Amino acid sequence: MAEDEFDDGARPVALADRLAAEALIVDVDGFEGPLDLLLTLSRTQKVDLRRISILHLARQYLAFVERAKALRLELAADYLVMAAWLAFLKSRLLLPPDPSEEGPSGADLAAHLAFQLERLQAMRDCAARLMGRDRLGRDFFARGLPEDVTRRRETRYTATLLDLMQAYARIRTRDEFRPYVMDRDAIFTMEQALEHLRGLIGFAGTWTDIATYLPEGFTVDPARRRSATASTFAAALELVKEGRAELRQAEIFAPVELRRKD
Amino acid sequence: MSQDQENTEQSLFDAPPIAEQERMIEAMLFASATPLDTREMAARMPHGSDPSEALVHLRKRYEGRGVNLVRVGDGWAMRTAPDLGYLMRREMVETRKLSRAAIETLAIIAYHQPVTRAEIEEIRGVSVSRGTVDQLLEMEWIRFGRRKMTPGRPVTFVVTESFLDHFGLESARDLPGLKELRAAGLLDNRPPPGGLSLAGEGDDDEGAPGQNELFED
Amino acid sequence: MSQDQENTEQSLFDAPPIAEQERMIEAMLFASATPLDTREMAARMPHGSDPSEALVHLRKRYEGRGVNLVRVGDGWAMRTAPDLGYLMRREMVETRKLSRAAIETLAIIAYHQPVTRAEIEEIRGVSVSRGTVDQLLEMEWIRFGRRKMTPGRPVTFVVTESFLDHFGLESARDLPGLKELRAAGLLDNRPPPGGLSLAGEGDDDEGAPGQNELFED
């Protein structure tokens, strides 16, 4: 964006730099950090990034930071860290190398910075080329009506002869042994009956024979039927006592009828 | 592509060569989620195009292929060849154990056939749900036998050949009686009550009215 | 088709003739909106089928047509020819506009993969926000690669098959300009001299096998 502003500042002219720096300051939020700013500044040199003058770039950057300070602009810490580093680099580049000094030479550091700038620029170019490619859903298309693979689940039931025989044996022997085991299969307890009736009483708006409230499985076998009848009757009495139902019997041995009490 | 050559020599405003039009409708029909009619296609193609003619070529091109160009109402669409539909389905076979209700019902039918629903309920002590019977019918392990000559002429159930196949039986008569089941340790091992003879044990099969009728049809 | 002849002469359990296999993969690829790999195709085809061979034939058949068979990473997909995109304006999907940070991050991951967050930050000179990575992950254009064998074992990012599909790339090797960048040394993992680093985090990768791993998966 700031590129146009640099067009007339052909060579390192201090004035042009300052003008550029001011323009940049206004836009400081638009930069993604010091490296991005350096890359933008480097464009004023109008040379291949590989032949860029890092010394000149450091000067530009430091001028930018000075301007920002003069304008009392808050610069993020990383801009200041970069400024300090570039000032260090500048001194290294300007002073003749001291053979006794440890660490990398100014030239090495400058070369690495140039590499970083070139690499960032290369990645930006790649990003642009990538986004400029033919793209799915914009330039080429997938099937508009894909047919998904349907998963059909087929269940196959199995049973063995043993299952079959055991089931039969279970049924046929259930009644035979009842008197001799503590088998409560045929007992429908008062608690069960109460729970069963409570679940149904809400629907009993009209007088209904309590015999119809016998639970499933207790209507055929006489013993089970007897147990269920007794407990259902007792449970009905309990509901009447709670004031939730009414009971009536027209005459002796007539059906006992139950109704919800509203 | 020789056709392209010809075309570029003509005016720029001419309709594209038919081969190019064919490519166009091919792409449009492929990418569209709904069938397209020729009017819609023409509206999207360069001026002067004739989708109808291109469609004839395209349809021919896809004849016998894995995908066909088919007419859908007023429109056209690409569809998987009907014989390859199976590639789009993934079948999963799951084996599940038969429910207790089903196996008991089946056992009663096997031992007492032909047997009515009321008789099954009488023996099991609980009502038999429609679903259970339907399931067994669907599995082709039971089928309807002849009606009983009793009031209401209720239908009866009998086991099928595939039932015998599945359980490796020659006939339902081969099913072991209660005595044998007990001898084989297949009964719940509740001890028989001391001294008391097991009334009716083993006789079930013999005396059962059903037994004589077994496999009569 | 002489191959068909040979085939039918063999046992019934042999793979279907290649022409038939071609129809099958044609149907499957048409039906799928996402790329299918040969393993997936083979699993749905009759035993002994070889989708790779059929793919060669199918690709040839669709050359220059309105719809093409394209390679996407390990998979294959049918896609409309890019020159016909203008006909499909109706099918166009609005893609969410990516931020500059997201686009650059994506490019860095694509060209430098597998790459750690620290390496991305080193290249961009700024920290990578969580939102940027999340957005790319959510679009399924990047995914986590394997961890780097460097201290801290940082996670890496790589691009996905959907990324390749979206940008019409056969593989990450076909990224535009990749060869030139590599030749220019711009994909090298060059540590800053003297361990000094601008982003301060570049040390992570020092001595990393980094670039050798490029595109290994």
Side-chain angles (χ1 to χ4, degrees):
Chain A
M1 88 246 71
E3 203 164 3
D4 296 13
E5 275 108 298
F6 298 118
D7 278 357
D8 42 3
R11 274 283 97 189
V13 180
L15 179 70
D17 280 355
R18 271 211 303 281
L19 287 174
E22 271 173 37
L24 288 170
I25 285 163
V26 180
D27 269 329
V28 75
D29 286 336
F31 289 100
E32 287 206 74
L35 205 57
D36 184 27
L37 174 57
L38 277 169
L39 194 55
T40 305
L41 290 171
S42 71
R43 293 210 184 97
T44 60
Q45 295 189 25
K46 302 214 170 205
V47 291
D48 189 318
L49 272 174
R50 255 164 289 187
R51 270 172 289 141
I52 197 165
S53 162
I54 291 296
L55 184 58
H56 177 51
L57 190 60
R59 280 201 194 106
Q60 280 181 293
Y61 186 92
L62 293 170
F64 161 79
V65 172
E66 285 309 309
R67 291 294 302 159
K69 276 185 184 157
L71 291 170
R72 297 179 182 283
L73 277 172
E74 285 285 335
L75 277 183
D78 51 346
Y79 283 84
L80 299 177
V81 170
M82 176 64 92
W85 189 82
L86 286 174
F88 164 76
L89 176 61
K90 199 176 96 179
S91 66
R92 279 270 170 124
L93 289 171
L94 289 174
L95 295 171
D98 178 354
S100 67
E101 202 161 357
E102 294 283 306
S105 70
D108 290 342
L109 294 172
H112 187 71
L113 180 58
F115 167 73
Q116 282 182 301
L117 291 173
E118 198 189 345
R119 184 173 59 178
L120 180 59
Q121 186 56 52
M123 280 301 115
R124 291 203 170 151
D125 295 343
C126 286
R129 283 174 81 177
L130 197 57
M131 299 317 271
R133 283 183 70 84
D134 286 336
R135 287 161 67 180
L136 180 65
R138 195 188 71 180
D139 306 292
F140 60 94
F141 296 83
R143 181 85 167 112
L145 188 64
E147 293 166 63
D148 280 331
V149 173
T150 55
R151 273 160 228 269
R152 208 160 60 96
R153 193 180 283 270
E154 191 189 315
T155 311
R156 219 169 265 166
Y157 290 95
T158 58
T160 64
L161 187 57
L162 191 65
D163 295 331
L164 191 76
M165 294 185 302
Q166 281 178 331
Y168 188 66
R170 190 164 61 228
I171 301 160
R172 297 310 289 179
T173 55
R174 189 169 47 209
D175 295 339
E176 289 167 24
F177 301 129
R178 190 165 1 91
Y180 306 101
V181 288
M182 284 306 290
D183 174 353
R184 287 172 69 82
D185 254 14
I187 308 295
F188 196 60
T189 66
M190 162 86 178
E191 288 76 21
Q192 286 174 304
L194 204 51
E195 199 187 322
H196 183 66
L197 262 193
R198 282 206 172 109
L200 294 172
I201 189 72
F203 304 104
T206 54
W207 290 108
T208 315
D209 186 346
I210 63 165
T212 62
Y213 286 106
L214 296 191
E216 198 184 317
F218 284 80
T219 54
V220 180
D221 175 44
R224 290 162 77 85
R225 188 180 170 86
R226 210 177 308 129
S227 166
T229 305
S231 56
T232 301
F233 179 63
L237 289 176
E238 187 63 31
L239 287 179
V240 171
K241 201 168 117 193
E242 286 174 15
R244 297 186 57 199
E246 295 172 281
L247 269 181
R248 76 173 186 193
Q249 188 177 31
E251 55 185 356
I252 294 172
F253 298 126
V256 176
E257 292 177 313
L258 183 73
R259 183 172 77 170
R260 182 183 69 221
K261 192 175 177 184
D262 292 309
Chain B
M1 292 297 121
S2 63
Q3 219 151 347
D4 284 18
Q5 228 58 40
E6 275 166 46
N7 225 68
T8 42
E9 276 156 36
Q10 291 172 27
S11 136
L12 271 172
F13 296 94
D14 267 351
I18 195 71
E20 193 55 25
Q21 292 189 37
E22 198 190 315
R23 284 183 79 228
M24 291 177 187
I25 59 169
E26 185 179 34
M28 283 189 286
L29 289 168
F30 172 84
S32 176
T34 52
L36 296 175
D37 63 31
T38 49
R39 211 175 28 76
E40 288 170 293
M41 286 187 256
R44 288 156 71 176
M45 292 163 75
H47 193 72
S49 300
D50 179 13
S52 322
E53 198 192 334
L55 276 164
V56 174
H57 291 263
L58 193 67
R59 186 175 210 175
K60 196 150 204 145
R61 193 186 281 275
Y62 276 97
E63 244 164 43
R65 307 287 320 156
V67 174
N68 305 141
L69 177 59
V70 296
R71 206 174 172 124
V72 181
D74 289 340
W76 295 86
M78 314 281 294
R79 293 279 186 268
T80 308
D83 65 313
L84 297 178
Y86 70 93
L87 291 168
M88 256 50 78
R89 247 172 278 134
R90 197 165 297 170
E91 294 186 21
M92 289 192 295
V93 179
E94 191 184 38
T95 34
R96 211 182 285 172
K97 259 204 160 336
L98 210 54
S99 71
R100 183 176 160 144
I103 191 93
E104 285 185 10
T105 304
L106 183 65
I108 293 166
I109 295 170
Y111 276 91
H112 292 264
Q113 65 173 352
V115 63
T116 67
R117 178 191 290 258
E119 288 164 344
I120 298 168
E121 293 184 340
E122 169 92 28
I123 296 166
R124 280 195 72 212
V126 288
S127 64
V128 173
S129 82
R130 207 187 152 67
T132 303
V133 173
D134 285 351
Q135 186 187 6
L136 294 171
L137 284 168
E138 202 185 302
M139 294 172 75
E140 296 187 336
W141 279 358
I142 65 167
R143 62 176 175 83
F144 293 109
R146 63 163 78 141
R147 289 179 180 277
K148 261 227 158 121
M149 294 313 233
T150 52
R153 309 206 63 218
V155 293
T156 61
F157 297 101
V158 295
V159 291
T160 62
E161 281 290 323
S162 38
F163 165 88
L164 297 175
D165 264 0
H166 181 91
F167 291 99
L169 296 165
E170 294 256 319
S171 85
R173 262 180 280 254
D174 294 341
L175 283 168
L178 284 183
K179 211 180 281 173
E180 292 154 291
L181 290 178
R182 193 186 308 286
L186 290 170
L187 290 189
D188 289 348
N189 33 9
R190 296 176 191 163
L196 253 173
S197 82
L198 294 171
E201 190 203 346
D203 306 332
D204 266 70
D205 330 34
E206 255 116 49
Q211 227 49 11
N212 309 331
E213 292 174 40
L214 205 66
F215 302 121
E216 64 181 339
D217 41 358
Chain C
M1 296 298 119
S2 63
Q3 213 149 352
D4 285 18
Q5 229 55 41
E6 274 167 47
N7 239 57
T8 42
E9 274 158 36
Q10 289 172 26
S11 122
L12 270 174
F13 296 93
D14 267 349
I18 195 72
E20 193 55 24
Q21 292 188 37
E22 196 190 317
R23 285 183 76 227
M24 291 175 189
I25 58 168
E26 185 178 34
M28 286 188 285
L29 289 167
F30 253 79
S32 176
T34 50
L36 295 177
D37 64 32
T38 49
R39 210 176 30 76
E40 289 170 294
M41 288 187 257
R44 284 156 69 183
M45 292 164 77
H47 193 72
S49 300
D50 179 13
S52 326
E53 198 191 335
L55 278 162
V56 175
H57 292 262
L58 193 67
R59 186 176 214 180
K60 200 154 202 143
R61 187 183 289 275
Y62 278 94
E63 247 164 41
R65 301 273 301 276
V67 175
N68 306 140
L69 176 59
V70 297
R71 202 190 170 118
V72 181
D74 289 338
W76 295 84
M78 304 293 300
R79 297 287 179 253
T80 61
D83 65 310
L84 299 176
Y86 68 96
L87 293 166
M88 262 69 74
R89 242 164 283 146
R90 216 180 58 173
E91 278 79 27
M92 246 177 237
V93 277
E94 238 355 279
T95 31
R96 199 158 26 138
K97 228 174 151 40
L98 281 176
S99 67
R100 185 173 125 174
I103 293 169
E104 280 183 25
T105 303
L106 179 66
I108 291 168
I109 294 171
Y111 283 81
H112 289 261
Q113 67 176 344
V115 65
T116 67
R117 180 188 288 257
E119 287 164 341
I120 298 168
E121 294 182 339
E122 160 84 17
I123 294 168
R124 294 198 67 230
V126 284
S127 62
V128 174
S129 83
R130 206 186 155 69
T132 302
V133 172
D134 286 353
Q135 188 185 8
L136 294 173
L137 284 168
E138 201 186 298
M139 293 175 84
E140 295 185 342
W141 281 358
I142 65 167
R143 63 175 176 82
F144 292 107
R146 62 166 81 139
R147 289 180 179 277
K148 257 210 169 143
M149 297 310 251
T150 53
R153 308 205 67 215
V155 294
T156 62
F157 298 101
V158 295
V159 290
T160 63
E161 193 173 83
S162 328
F163 166 87
L164 299 177
D165 195 13
H166 184 90
F167 291 100
L169 292 162
E170 285 206 6
S171 85
R173 264 175 273 266
D174 298 323
L175 283 163
L178 185 71
K179 227 177 274 166
E180 294 85 333
L181 287 177
R182 193 173 293 152
L186 289 171
L187 298 181
D188 294 351
N189 183 22
R190 203 182 290 179
L196 255 174
S197 158
L198 290 182
E201 283 166 286
D203 306 299
D204 272 46
D205 354 62
E206 225 168 339
Q211 291 315 314
N212 309 333
E213 289 177 31
L214 199 68
F215 306 123
E216 69 178 337
D217 43 349

